[in-house]
Amino acid sequence: MSAYGSFPGSRPRRLRSSAVMRRMVAETRLHPADLVLPAFVRESISEPVEIGSMPGVYQHTRDTLRKAAAEAVAAGVSGIMLFGVPEDAKKDAVGSAGTDPDGILQLALRDVRSEVGDDLLVMSDLCLDEFTDHGHCGVLTADGRIDNDATLERYAEMAQVQADAGAHVVGPSGMMDGQVGVIRDALDQTGHEDVAILAYTVKYASAFYGPFREAVGSSLQGDRKTYQQDAAGTRDALRELALDLQEGADMVMVKPAGPYLDILTKVAEASDVPVAAYQISGEYSMIEAAAQRGWIDRDAAILESLTGIKRAGAQIILTYWATEVARKLG
């Protein structure tokens, strides 16, 4: 008893007194169903190739991608987002391999869909950057600028071939104005009314994409600051949200996740469709690198980072740890 009688009468620490108490009163709970696994499939390799800047993440062969998809199903993960890595010789100015029915991404979509059926949402990155020789997300004008409307025509073609190949969900990530509406029309006009759109609504021009560009063998020349969003902006994100919802997005995404939790919260508060967040390559690599050096507790840091993303408002989280974390959450 202190000199002040029973002070303090309110003791919040009582609800932190044991692991079981903390678990019972937890406000935010991660679940395997919250998670989506991004995965890379590379053309013309016979063994998976570990990505140097993303230890533990691989460029898959078609066979090992099937296995990764089956493992995700067994762990309770909800989806897998596929990225294709073509041979350099197949890249061109308009990303032709991205709309080739026999291109690596379309082959992978068929492979995974045949492996998992409807037990896992098969999602497809809908963008040209992996397939262009200049590494940009669209068609370039003669003076090297992105031609927004010409790019939309290519996205409409991509949507159709990806849906034909079995995608349950397409994820337009190129940040072209009007992309959601054009893709929705293309899907509906080709008998793919049930294919959903996960719109990359808020995608910042981020320094944290570096490892991803190694993962997809990016040929990027210059930067994407004229079409991805500026890190200093908030209103722009909410404007993009309003437009994507108007154009028919079924789900919306904020990317990156960790550096933009404030934006994620604002989007979640304003959205009437499910909100996703992508914990991107740089976020992954920083935790893995620090853990390898013994600077942080790897598993605790992973769970804390994902819990923060969900607490900020994400219902769906794309993370390279999806299968691992789902197994632990069990």
Side-chain angles (χ1 to χ4, degrees):
M1 177 92 51
S2 74
Y4 299 99
S6 60
F7 176 84
S10 180
R11 295 179 183 266
R13 287 180 55 196
R14 294 189 188 108
L15 300 182
R16 309 170 199 150
S17 59
S18 67
V20 69
M21 177 67 81
R22 294 189 295 273
R23 185 182 67 187
M24 182 180 74
V25 302
E27 297 175 58
T28 303
R29 299 180 191 275
L30 282 172
H31 189 276
D34 301 332
L35 305 177
V36 172
L37 176 69
F40 307 100
V41 58
R42 179 174 166 183
E43 192 169 23
S44 301
I45 57 173
S46 57
E47 298 291 336
V49 177
E50 188 170 23
I51 299 161
S53 56
M54 299 179 70
V57 178
Y58 293 83
Q59 294 173 327
H60 285 287
T61 69
R62 291 172 63 186
D63 286 339
T64 63
L65 180 65
R66 283 176 175 266
K67 181 180 178 183
E71 290 173 348
V73 171
V77 170
S78 284
I80 185 168
M81 176 67 79
L82 301 184
F83 297 87
V85 185
E87 297 176 5
D88 285 345
K90 294 185 178 179
K91 296 181 180 182
D92 61 22
V94 296
S96 299
T99 51
D100 180 353
D102 294 318
I104 183 58
L105 183 52
Q106 282 67 251
L107 294 176
L109 285 166
R110 293 188 182 93
D111 290 341
V112 173
R113 187 66 189 271
S114 68
E115 181 73 28
V116 302
D118 294 329
D119 293 334
L120 186 71
L121 286 172
V122 180
M123 304 179 174
S124 186
D125 179 58
L126 200 164
C127 194
L128 290 170
D129 60 321
E130 295 103 308
F131 306 103
T132 55
D133 53 13
H134 47 73
H136 280 285
C137 298
V139 178
L140 301 183
T141 61
D143 60 357
R145 296 180 297 109
I146 294 290
D147 187 328
N148 188 96
D149 296 359
T151 299
L152 293 182
E153 294 181 17
R154 300 287 295 129
Y155 286 3
E157 295 178 53
M158 291 189 80
Q160 180 178 344
V161 297
Q162 291 179 359
D164 287 344
H168 293 105
V169 180
V170 295
S173 61
M175 295 303 292
M176 296 297 117
D177 294 338
Q179 62 185 13
V180 172
V182 166
I183 289 167
R184 183 73 271 159
D185 286 346
L187 291 170
D188 292 349
Q189 291 172 17
T190 55
H192 296 298
E193 297 89 349
D194 291 336
V195 174
I197 298 176
L198 170 56
Y200 285 60
T201 293
V202 183
K203 185 177 181 182
Y204 284 94
S206 173
F208 293 93
Y209 295 137
F212 177 90
R213 290 176 183 159
E214 178 187 352
V216 297
S218 175
S219 304
L220 181 63
Q221 302 167 17
D223 59 49
R224 298 177 175 137
K225 292 181 179 180
T226 62
Y227 49 103
Q228 293 178 353
Q229 290 164 268
D230 184 74
T234 298
R235 287 191 296 269
D236 193 24
L238 297 178
R239 185 182 183 196
E240 291 279 6
L241 173 65
L243 290 168
D244 281 357
L245 293 176
Q246 181 181 358
E247 292 174 26
D250 299 288
M251 298 168 278
V252 295
M253 188 192 298
V254 175
K255 179 182 181 182
Y260 296 93
L261 295 181
D262 59 325
I263 304 299
L264 175 57
T265 295
K266 290 178 185 297
V267 169
E269 289 171 347
S271 177
D272 61 359
V273 301
V275 175
Y278 196 149
Q279 185 181 52
I280 66 168
S281 59
E283 299 174 72
Y284 174 94
S285 296
M286 287 192 300
I287 289 177
E288 290 288 351
Q292 285 184 358
R293 288 160 176 76
W295 294 343
I296 59 173
D297 180 324
R298 176 185 180 274
D299 291 354
I302 291 170
L303 286 175
E304 184 176 340
S305 67
L306 292 170
T307 300
I309 294 167
K310 186 168 184 183
R311 188 185 64 244
Q315 296 166 260
I316 305 157
I317 304 173
L318 283 75
T319 176
Y320 298 98
W321 291 300
T323 302
E324 176 186 342
V325 169
R327 287 171 176 157
K328 291 175 180 175
L329 294 173

